[in-house]
Amino acid sequence: MSRVPRRWPGSPDSPSATIIQAHSPQLLELTGVGPDSAAILLIAAGDNHDRLRDEASFAALCGVSPVERSSGKSQRRRLNRGGNRQANAALYRIVLSRLRWENRSRAYLLRRTAEGKTKREVIRCLKRYVAREIHRAIASAPLPVPGSIAA
C-alpha cells in the first residue's frame, strides 16, 4: 500500500493558505503570521472589514484593548477579557513567534523589562501592537468581489 503524502493544516500549500493568499496576501507577509492565524483573524474581522472604524475597534474585537486595573497606589492596565478568544489566542501565538524569531521584538522585551515591566505586561503591549499592524494589513486589502474566491 503506497503512502499518500499528508498536508499539514498550516502548510503553505493547504487550501486555507491558498484562500488567504488570494484574499489578503499582505497578511501572510507579516512576521509570525501563518495561514491558520491569518484565517482566524480574517474571520474575526468579518467579511466586511470596512465596518471596523479604526485599529482600536479591531483591538477591542480581538480582546486586546487595555482596561484600567488600578488599586491604591498601583496604576496598571490589563487586557480586555471580552472579544473573540480565538483571535486573541492567534495574536498571542504571533507575539510568541516574534519574540523567538524577530530581533525588534526581543529588543523591545529587553528594554521594557529593564524599565520594570513584567514579561506578561510586555506581551500585552506587543499584542496591541500586532493588532494595530494586522488591522492596517486587513484595511489595506481591496474589498473582495462576491463569488470570486471559491473554497
Side-chain angles (χ1 to χ4, degrees), residues 38-132:
I40 290 169
L41 292 167
L42 282 174
I43 290 169
D47 289 344
N48 48 352
H49 61 266
D50 55 333
R51 72 186 168 104
L52 299 172
R53 299 177 311 278
D54 54 357
E55 58 89 17
S57 63
F58 181 72
L61 178 70
C62 293
V64 293
S65 57
V67 175
E68 292 293 329
R69 186 192 67 162
S70 304
S71 66
K73 296 179 184 178
S74 67
Q75 295 289 325
R76 295 202 181 266
R77 292 185 177 92
R78 67 167 175 81
L79 289 181
N80 186 356
R81 291 195 179 124
N84 188 326
R85 304 312 303 159
Q86 289 181 339
N88 192 310
L91 290 174
Y92 181 75
R93 286 190 301 270
I94 292 168
V95 166
L96 288 185
S97 66
R98 284 184 177 201
L99 285 174
R100 179 162 177 116
W101 301 108
E102 188 180 49
N103 291 330
R104 183 177 53 154
S105 296
R106 276 190 255 160
Y108 182 81
L109 175 71
L110 293 174
R111 181 170 52 89
R112 293 300 292 240
T113 52
E115 292 173 2
K117 299 279 187 193
T118 64
K119 186 174 180 180
R120 186 176 186 175
E121 290 172 329
V122 174
I123 289 175
R124 175 189 61 80
C125 296
L126 283 171
K127 281 167 73 173
R128 178 60 191 260
Y129 177 77
V130 169
R132 186 176 303 130

Side-chain angles (χ1 to χ4, degrees), residues 22-26 42 45-52 135 137-149:
H23 177 66
S24 186
Q26 68 278 10
L42 282 174
D47 289 344
N48 48 352
H49 61 266
D50 55 333
R51 72 186 168 104
L52 299 172
H135 176 264
I138 290 174
S140 69
L143 292 173
V145 177
S148 65
I149 301 176

Side-chain angles (χ1 to χ4, degrees), residues 7-14 16-17 34-36:
R7 283 190 187 156
W8 294 99
S11 67
D13 60 341
S14 69
S16 63
D36 294 337

